[in-house]
Amino acid sequence: MRMFRRADRQVDMQMENQFDIQEELKKLPGRPGVYIMHDEEDHIIYVGKAVSLKNRVRQYFQSSRNKGVKIEQMVTHIRRFEYIVTDSELEALVLECNLIKEHHPRYNTMLMDDKTYPFIKVTTGEDFPRVMLSRKMLRDRARYFGPYTSAQAVRDTIDLIHRLYHLRSCSRSLPRDIGKERPCLNYHIRQCDAPCQGYISKEEYGKAVGEVLRFLNGDYDAVLSALQEKMEAASEALEYERAIEYRELISSVKKIAQKQKITDSSGEDRDVLAVASEGEDAVVQVFFVRGGRLIGRDHFYLRIAKDEGAPEILGSFITQYYGGTPFIPGELMLQEEVEDQELLEAWLTSKRGQKVTLKVPKKGAKEKLIELAGENARLVLTRDRERLKREEGRTIGAVREIASLLGLEDIVRMEAYDISNTNGFESVGSMVVYERGRPKRNDYRKFRIKGIRGADDYGSMREVLTRRFTHGLKEREENVQLGKFTAFPDLILMDGGKGQVNVALSVLEELHLDIPVCGMVKDDHHRTRGLYYQNVEVPIDTSSEAFRLITRIQDEAHRFAIGYHRQLRGKGQVHSILDDIEGIGPARRKALMRQYQSLDEIREATAEELAAIPSMDRKAADSVYRFFHG
C-alpha cells in the first residue's frame, strides 16, 4: 500500500490555496483505495473506499449526477483530497473502517456507541480449568460462551457454576503448585474442591468441567434433575439445611434457564439487525442469537444524513460495529439488502476465520424476528428522541456555543491541559481530548515532567506543550497516520488565565503553529467563571451548556492529572531525591516536603533551620545539608 499525504499543518494550509481539484482529478489512478476529503480548515470531513479511485472520486465533482443532499452539501466544503492506494477492495474496506473510527468524519454515518460485551471463558487448556468473565475473545485453547449483554448476568452465572460444580477461581499454576499453600476460603465454604491440595484428581475435576460445558451450552434439564434428587435425598436424611441449599440452587438454575428464550431449533449463532431512522437520527436494533437461543438484545445510535436509507445505514453500522467487536456470528440477518454484500461477507469471513453470510429473510419465523427487531428500533427511537436532542445540546450544541463566544467558525477537537504535583515534587501533566463535545479517551496523554524542578507550573506546562506538539510535528513530517500526537486541536484550553495562556502561545509561536488558545478562569472559590481569550476575559452564562461543558473539561483535565500522580505514587514509582539521603526515611521526607515548597528551598536552608523541623534531629539535618553542599 502506498500513501499520499501532506507533511504538517502549515504546509497543508499553504498547499490548500494551490490545490487545483480538476488537475488533481486527472492524476487519480484507476486502482482500489481510500479517498479522504478535507475542508477549508483541513479537517477530514469524509472517508470513502473505491474499486477505482479515478472513477469514484470524479463522480463527486460532476454536476450532472444526482448525488443526494448529503453529498451535494459535502462537496461545497471540499478544498482538497488525498488518497491511499491499496492492493484490493477488501484492503480498502479495512482501511476505511480504521480511518473512520480514528477521525470521525462529519459526513460519514457515525456509530455513536462504543460498547463491549462480556464472555464466559472456560480455560480448557489448563489441567484444572477455571471459569471467568472475559471482555475479549482470544485465539487460545479456552472455550468462550457469549457474548452476553449483561455483565451482572455473567457474574451471577459464574457464581452459580462455582456453587454447583466447585471449580477453582484462583490463579495458581496447577499441578505445579499443589500443596505449596493452604486452601483458600472457597474450599471452607464448599465452593471449591481444592485441587491445589490434591483433594480431587484431575479426572474427577475434568468430569465437573464437562458438566459445566454442558450447562453453558444450555443443558439445564440434567442439572435440575440431579439437584432435585440431591434435595430429596437430603430431606429424607433430615439434612434440612443442605436440602434448602439445593432448593436455592434449583431456583437459580431456573432463573438462568428462563433468560435463554428459544428462537429456533437450528442451534446456530446469528445476529438480527434492523434499523429505524428519522431526520439525522437512527437506531439499529441487534438481537443476539447464540446456539439457537435469544440471549439478549441491544440498540445503537447513529448520526446520519437526512437522505440515507436502511441499506446505507446498515452497511455503515456493520463495518463500524463488527470492526471492533471480538465475536462475529456465522450469519447476519438483515432488514434490507446492503451495498457491497459480497465484499462485506469476505471481510467478515476474514475477521472471523470462518464463513459469514448476510441474509434478508422473506418469510416465516425469521422474517417475524426481523420485524420484531424493527419494531423495537422504532420504539427506542421514538422514546429517546428528546434525550438525543438533549445529548446533542450537551455536546455538539455546547461546542457551537463556545465557538460563537470566541468568534471561531468551527470547533471539532479541543485539548485541555493541567499540571499536578505534591508540594512541588514530582510534577506530572495531563492532556485530555474532547471531539464534538465528547471525551475521546483513547487520545488522552500523560506526561512526567523531566526538566523542571520544584512547583513551577508555568515551566512544567511549557515542557508538556513543547513535547506534545514537537512529537506531533515529527509524526506529520514522517507521514504517521494514526500516531499518538498526529491530530492537532482546533482549540487549546488551559487550566488558568493569562499566565497559562501566554505560556501556550509562546510555545506555539516557537513551533510556528497557529492554534487558538483559551484560558479556563476560576473564581476565588475555585469555580469556573469565564474564559480568557485574546487578552480579554469572556463571561459565560452559568446556566448555558457551554459553561457546563467547559466545567466538565476542566474537571476532567484535573482528575486525569491527579489520577496519574496518585497512580505513580501508589505503585512506588515516584522517587524523590530525598530518598537518596542517608537517614531520611518516609516520615522525615514528608516533613521536609510539608515545610518547603521545592528542592531549591531545601538546598538553601541552613542545618539549624533543617534541625528545627518536627521529626528531624541534628544528625539528620546535617546529613541533608552535606548532601546538597558536599
Side-chain angles (χ1 to χ4, degrees):
M1 158 186 326
R2 186 181 176 192
M3 185 168 293
F4 299 81
R5 189 171 178 85
R6 312 303 181 203
D8 60 38
R9 187 178 181 86
Q10 287 228 321
V11 174
D12 280 338
M13 300 306 289
Q14 291 170 8
M15 295 197 67
E16 175 192 314
N17 297 327
Q18 304 170 9
F19 195 89
D20 188 325
I21 289 179
Q22 295 303 321
E23 285 298 318
E24 294 298 326
L25 288 174
K26 298 175 183 178
K27 302 174 186 177
L28 286 165
R31 292 179 54 187
V34 170
Y35 53 92
I36 305 165
M37 303 298 192
H38 293 254
D39 66 8
E40 59 274 5
E41 296 295 326
D42 208 41
H43 296 140
I44 294 176
I45 59 174
Y46 189 76
V47 175
K49 68 179 185 305
V51 179
S52 169
L53 288 165
K54 182 177 182 179
N55 295 338
R56 184 71 185 96
V57 178
R58 280 182 170 179
Q59 292 174 359
Y60 288 96
F61 304 97
Q62 294 175 357
S63 58
S64 59
R65 294 185 61 86
N66 181 17
K67 295 185 282 288
V69 176
K70 180 183 77 171
I71 299 301
E72 287 182 355
Q73 186 181 30
M74 181 191 74
V75 170
T76 63
H77 294 289
I78 296 174
R79 293 298 176 268
R80 71 177 185 90
F81 59 80
E82 55 184 314
Y83 55 89
I84 304 170
V85 174
T86 60
D87 293 326
S88 67
E89 190 180 3
L90 179 58
E91 191 176 288
L93 175 64
V94 174
L95 180 58
E96 179 194 37
C97 293
N98 292 338
L99 292 176
I100 289 174
K101 188 173 183 180
E102 174 65 22
H103 296 290
H104 295 81
R106 177 180 177 182
Y107 288 97
N108 284 95
T109 297
M110 289 306 305
L111 177 62
M112 297 168 65
D113 303 83
D114 188 14
K115 303 175 183 177
T116 59
Y117 296 97
F119 295 82
I120 294 178
K121 177 180 180 179
V122 184
T123 60
T124 49
E126 297 178 332
D127 289 331
F128 293 89
R130 296 165 291 160
V131 180
M132 62 185 70
L133 181 149
S134 176
R135 291 282 179 180
K136 295 181 179 179
M137 187 175 181
L138 305 175
R139 292 188 177 182
D140 51 16
R141 294 185 294 166
R143 288 280 304 275
Y144 291 85
F145 297 86
Y148 300 92
T149 56
S150 169
Q152 187 57 50
V154 169
R155 294 186 184 96
D156 291 344
T157 302
I158 292 174
D159 180 65
L160 175 61
I161 287 170
H162 285 142
R163 291 163 58 199
L164 284 172
Y165 301 105
H166 304 171
L167 299 190
R168 71 187 183 104
S169 59
C170 65
S171 58
R172 297 175 186 176
S173 178
L174 303 180
R176 186 193 67 189
D177 294 338
I178 288 180
K180 290 185 178 181
E181 297 181 36
R182 290 181 296 177
C184 66
L185 178 63
N186 286 341
Y187 168 73
H188 298 289
I189 63 175
R190 293 187 298 182
Q191 288 196 15
C192 178
D193 287 333
C196 61
Q197 303 300 308
Y199 294 166
I200 182 173
S201 69
K202 180 178 177 181
E203 290 71 27
E204 286 299 312
Y205 192 93
K207 290 180 182 178
V209 173
E211 293 294 324
V212 169
L213 295 176
R214 283 190 287 275
F215 176 81
L216 291 173
N217 277 314
D219 185 3
Y220 305 114
D221 292 339
V223 177
L224 290 170
S225 177
L227 289 173
Q228 185 71 28
E229 291 179 5
K230 290 179 179 180
M231 182 181 70
E232 292 172 356
S235 180
E236 290 176 3
L238 305 182
E239 297 178 353
Y240 296 119
E241 290 185 3
R242 181 65 62 87
I244 291 173
E245 181 180 333
Y246 287 130
R247 186 185 66 188
E248 291 176 349
L249 288 174
I250 289 172
S251 176
S252 297
V253 172
K254 286 181 177 179
K255 287 180 181 178
I256 295 294
Q258 287 173 356
K259 294 178 181 178
Q260 307 294 316
K261 180 182 176 182
I262 296 291
T263 58
D264 61 42
S265 58
S266 65
E268 295 179 357
D269 293 341
R270 59 168 57 93
D271 285 354
V272 181
L273 282 68
V275 62
S277 62
E278 184 175 339
E280 296 181 346
D281 298 318
V283 170
V284 172
Q285 181 79 211
V286 183
F287 286 170
F288 303 103
V289 179
R290 301 293 178 261
R293 293 172 173 82
L294 179 63
I295 67 166
R297 65 177 186 176
D298 209 343
H299 56 268
F300 301 84
Y301 298 100
L302 295 97
R303 179 53 42 84
I304 64 172
K306 292 183 179 180
D307 58 341
E308 282 189 299
E312 294 172 280
I313 298 169
L314 287 172
S316 296
F317 174 80
I318 288 170
T319 55
Q320 293 181 63
Y321 175 68
Y322 292 102
T325 186
F327 179 81
I328 299 175
E331 180 179 291
L332 303 186
M333 284 174 27
L334 307 179
Q335 184 181 31
E336 295 187 31
E337 291 184 359
V338 296
E339 296 180 2
D340 301 323
Q341 178 169 322
E342 293 183 1
L343 177 62
L344 288 173
E345 287 179 336
W347 173 64
L348 292 168
T349 297
S350 67
K351 286 185 65 63
R352 183 173 187 255
Q354 293 178 299
K355 179 67 175 177
V356 178
T357 56
L358 307 183
K359 294 183 178 179
V360 181
K362 300 296 184 183
K363 59 181 180 180
K366 292 181 179 179
E367 184 188 23
K368 296 294 184 184
L369 196 58
I370 285 286
E371 290 177 356
L372 182 62
E375 181 181 349
N376 277 270
R378 287 189 291 275
L379 288 172
V380 170
L381 184 63
T382 302
R383 181 192 70 197
D384 287 357
R385 275 193 67 79
E386 289 303 315
R387 187 189 66 79
L388 288 171
K389 288 180 180 178
R390 291 195 301 271
E391 180 65 19
E392 181 176 346
R394 293 180 68 248
T395 55
I396 298 174
V399 174
R400 288 173 182 159
E401 286 182 34
I402 294 171
S404 177
L405 281 169
L406 303 179
L408 300 174
E409 287 189 12
D410 191 23
I411 297 175
V412 176
R413 180 185 175 100
M414 296 185 289
E415 293 180 2
Y417 296 85
D418 194 15
I419 300 294
S420 176
N421 59 63
T422 303
N423 292 331
F425 292 84
E426 298 294 350
S427 295
V428 299
S430 70
M431 165 184 142
V432 300
V433 179
Y434 276 64
E435 284 195 355
R436 295 178 175 83
R438 296 173 181 270
K440 190 179 183 184
R441 293 187 172 86
N442 287 342
D443 282 11
Y444 284 17
R445 296 291 176 257
K446 306 169 183 176
F447 302 85
R448 295 185 71 172
I449 306 304
K450 301 175 181 178
I452 303 296
R453 289 186 177 271
D456 182 357
D457 283 356
Y458 288 168
S460 298
M461 186 61 73
R462 174 178 290 278
E463 178 182 323
V464 167
L465 293 171
T466 301
R467 285 165 57 187
R468 182 264 181 268
F469 287 105
T470 300
H471 284 312
L473 289 170
K474 184 178 180 182
E475 288 177 353
R476 288 183 166 209
E477 184 179 351
E478 295 174 353
N479 290 333
V480 178
Q481 291 300 297
L482 303 178
K484 293 182 178 180
F485 298 101
T486 307
F488 281 8
D490 303 300
L491 178 65
I492 295 174
L493 295 168
M494 305 300 296
D495 187 36
K498 182 177 180 180
Q500 291 283 18
V501 169
N502 287 338
V503 168
L505 289 173
S506 66
V507 171
L508 296 175
E509 184 178 0
E510 291 170 7
L511 298 175
H512 307 292
L513 293 171
D514 182 16
I515 302 173
V517 181
C518 184
M520 298 180 287
V521 185
K522 292 186 177 181
D523 59 22
D524 295 337
H525 301 286
H526 209 63
R527 294 184 300 235
T528 306
R529 75 168 187 233
L531 299 175
Y532 182 83
Y533 183 62
Q534 293 183 340
N535 295 317
V536 176
E537 185 170 323
V538 181
I540 307 181
D541 180 359
T542 55
S543 64
S544 68
E545 292 295 349
F547 178 83
R548 296 188 182 99
L549 177 59
I550 289 291
T551 302
R552 289 198 299 273
I553 293 174
Q554 193 167 35
D555 291 343
E556 180 73 348
H558 190 55
R559 178 201 66 79
F560 193 55
I562 290 177
Y564 179 42
H565 198 272
R566 287 175 178 167
Q567 175 191 355
L568 292 178
R569 295 184 66 83
K571 292 180 178 179
Q573 294 175 347
V574 173
H575 172 75
S576 171
I577 193 171
L578 300 178
D579 294 331
D580 296 330
I581 304 176
E582 184 179 353
I584 301 300
R588 286 173 173 163
R589 175 168 57 81
K590 289 178 181 177
L592 287 167
M593 292 169 66
R594 283 194 296 267
Q595 182 70 24
Y596 298 104
Q597 297 299 307
S598 69
L599 288 173
D600 290 335
E601 289 188 16
I602 297 175
R603 184 183 290 108
E604 294 169 2
T606 66
E608 289 74 18
E609 290 171 336
L610 293 169
I613 298 173
S615 80
M616 293 284 287
D617 56 24
R618 183 68 193 199
K619 183 179 178 180
D622 288 340
S623 181
V624 173
Y625 188 83
R626 285 195 304 271
F627 181 85
F628 287 108
H629 299 279

